[in-house]
Every structure is written in C-alpha cells, then in structure tokens.
Amino acid sequence: MGFHTKPTTFVGQVKIKVEDLARSLKFYQEVLGFNILEQTISTVKLTSDGKTSILSLEQPDNVTPKQGRTTGLYHFAILLPERSDLANIVIHLVNNGIKFGSSDHLVSEALYLDDPDGNGIEIYIDRDPSEWSWKREEVAMTVDPLDFENLLTTVKPGVNWQGMPVETVMGHIHLHVSELKKTEEFYVKGLGFDVVNRYGGQALFLSSGKYHHHIGVNTWNGTGAPTPSANSVGLESFTLIYANEEARNQVIVNLRKIGANVREVNNSFITHDSSGNQVELAV
C-alpha cells in the first residue's frame, strides 16, 4: 500500500537494549520467528527477509534492568502482510503459553506482548485504507475488543506459524515522552510528519503519506518523566527512512531551525527529540 516504501517517510529499523542477549535471541527466534542477519558478541541484527534488518538487539556494558516511569520505548510494532498471518501467530502464542493482549483499532487489528526484558511489542495487520475513516486531517482510531472468532476463520488448513513472513516490516514505533508541545514541534516542523490523531490530550499519532501512524507519542509515564540511563534496557534508537538525500538534508535544516541538535556519526545523521529519544536519519 506504499506506507512503508519511498517516498513515504517510515520507520526502517528499531534498536533495543536487552539485559541478556542470549535469552532475548531465543525469544525473538523461537517465539516470534525472526532470523539472524548479523551477530557480534554484544549485538544481533534480526531479519524476516534475509536481506534487511528491521530489529536490532544490543546488550550494553554494565546493563541495568528496564526503568519505570521514564521516557523511551512504549512499543515497537511489527506489521504482518496478511490477516491469516496474525491468526496463525495467535494460535502459536497460545500453544506456547505466551501471554498477550489484543485490540481492534478500526484501522488495524493488534496483539500486544513484552519481550523477556519488558520491551513492549505490538504485532498487527492493517485493514484496507478504504475502510479507514478520516475527518478532515484526523483518522478515527479506537481501542475495541479484538474479534478472535472472526480472525481465526482466516486460518488456512495445514498452514501453521512458520516465523515472520518475508514481507514483514516495522510498521510504527510508539514512545513515552515527557511533554507534547515541544515533541509535536520536533516531529512536525523538524522531521516532517503530520499529526493524524490527538488522543485525550495525552498522546499524538503522526504519519507520512496519510498512514494511520508511523509514530505515536504519549505522556502516560507522567509529564516531566526523566530520560533513562544510557545503559538501561529499552530503546537505543530508531531509524527513519527518507525519500532521498535532498529530503533528508531539508529535514536537517528544519531540525536546526527549531534548535534540535543534529550530528554526523559514521556517515549517519543522529538527532534526539526533547525527551531524549534517539533518531537516526537515513535514506
């Protein structure tokens, strides 16, 4: 549908920090069905298609457990290609005794679970965009019960969960932030996203190309929530993919106009939102 390909700006990869790399790798391989693309002593890049990494794990030196009531990762969201894929992983999770939550958001159907360190994960499928309801520039989203009975009718006889489908992408990321005013300025005036939903004065949903959201931000950990320590379990960074060098260069100019710091590190451009969440700008 073009929401995770150029020229739309989208989340390409999420990097998270974990306490025990071997334990996490077992979870992401055996429970979720990712494959290893690259591995070092302290890092692993995971893939679904054998070519591109959408998720990276890192075990920092002197790592500490996930801190509560801070900014950082709320969840990253893995977008599956087919509704039957979501049905298959429901059966797989149940059969393996994995606890999960669920919701129907009108625009999508979603499952929610945590990895062994408490990093939040959403696994979802999109409804067809023709079914999304827009009022001016805002898309309708809600939190309704997921109809499992209907979902499971899509299971194909003899077809079980075989791991992440090749077409799986990183659908979006949702972040804890310390406030919304400067956050909105950063993601809209700086990074170039549009606000597509305001949720109760405590959350914003932002997108490119009329998607329901590529980025969510909320203050549910409290206004003024602190940034976690650098070696804490949680979000390391996420990567945004821009259409071309020209588009990225304009974003860098816009970020600097609003006072955001942008630095070049090993041919990558790195910035941080007002809550300390690290963003890599890529093409």
Side-chain angles (χ1 to χ4, degrees):
M1 290 181 278
F3 297 120
H4 300 89
T5 57
K6 297 177 182 181
T8 301
T9 304
F10 60 95
V11 179
Q13 185 188 53
V14 172
K15 299 178 182 179
I16 60 170
K17 294 172 286 186
V18 300
E19 197 169 357
D20 183 327
L21 188 61
R23 179 183 66 176
S24 294
L25 187 55
K26 180 180 176 67
F27 171 84
Y28 282 100
Q29 284 185 289
E30 296 182 8
V31 175
L32 297 191
F34 280 102
N35 295 312
I36 296 172
L37 185 64
E38 296 179 21
Q39 184 171 7
T40 69
I41 293 174
S42 60
T43 65
V44 178
K45 291 182 179 180
L46 299 172
T47 183
S48 60
D49 65 3
K51 296 178 285 188
T52 305
S53 175
I54 64 171
L55 181 64
S56 180
L57 313 177
E58 174 188 354
Q59 181 179 325
D61 293 336
N62 303 312
V63 63
T64 61
K66 183 178 176 67
Q67 297 174 245
R69 310 296 291 177
T70 64
T71 62
L73 184 70
Y74 180 49
H75 63 243
F76 60 85
I78 300 163
L79 175 58
L80 302 177
E82 301 289 342
R83 196 164 184 245
S84 59
D85 297 320
L86 190 68
N88 284 336
I89 199 169
V90 165
I91 295 170
H92 169 71
L93 293 175
V94 170
N95 288 343
N96 285 275
I98 305 298
K99 294 181 179 179
F100 61 92
S102 63
S103 189
D104 185 326
H105 296 301
L106 298 182
V107 295
S108 63
E109 295 174 285
L111 310 178
Y112 294 92
L113 66 159
D114 289 339
D115 76 1
D117 289 288
N119 290 308
I121 304 167
E122 177 180 344
I123 302 171
Y124 74 111
I125 58 100
D126 280 332
R127 284 200 168 90
D128 191 279
S130 65
E131 299 180 49
W132 304 352
S133 178
W134 290 85
K135 187 175 182 180
R136 297 186 180 89
E137 299 303 314
E138 186 160 326
V139 65
M141 293 192 287
T142 190
V143 183
D144 290 336
L146 184 63
D147 187 343
F148 282 100
E149 184 176 355
N150 182 273
L151 175 64
L152 293 175
T153 63
T154 64
V155 173
K156 299 171 184 176
V159 179
N160 300 317
W161 179 252
Q162 299 295 322
M164 288 292 166
V166 171
E167 301 89 351
T168 300
V169 298
M170 186 60 68
H172 63 265
I173 190 167
H174 195 152
L175 305 166
H176 289 296
V177 296
S178 60
E179 54 75 49
L180 290 183
K181 185 176 180 181
K182 289 182 180 178
T183 298
E184 181 173 343
E185 180 182 56
F186 176 85
Y187 286 98
V188 175
K189 292 184 179 179
L191 295 180
F193 286 92
D194 300 312
V195 175
V196 292
N197 187 280
R198 298 179 186 272
Y199 190 81
Q202 297 178 331
L204 297 173
F205 296 90
L206 307 109
S207 82
S208 169
K210 298 287 283 188
Y211 191 48
H212 55 73
H213 68 294
H214 292 100
I215 297 172
V217 294
N218 72 71
T219 56
W220 298 331
N221 272 352
T223 300
T227 303
S229 62
N231 59 337
S232 167
V233 161
L235 180 68
E236 196 278 327
S237 66
F238 67 97
T239 301
L240 293 176
I241 308 297
Y242 286 89
N244 49 46
E245 291 280 359
E246 182 180 3
R248 180 172 66 175
N249 289 341
Q250 185 59 57
V251 164
I252 292 170
V253 170
N254 294 341
L255 285 166
R256 288 173 173 159
K257 279 183 180 178
I258 63 171
N261 182 50
V262 184
R263 56 194 175 94
E264 187 173 1
V265 180
N266 299 325
N267 298 316
S268 294
F269 289 89
I270 306 295
T271 188
H272 295 80
D273 68 15
S274 57
S275 302
N277 296 307
Q278 181 167 288
V279 187
E280 181 177 341
L281 311 175
V283 294

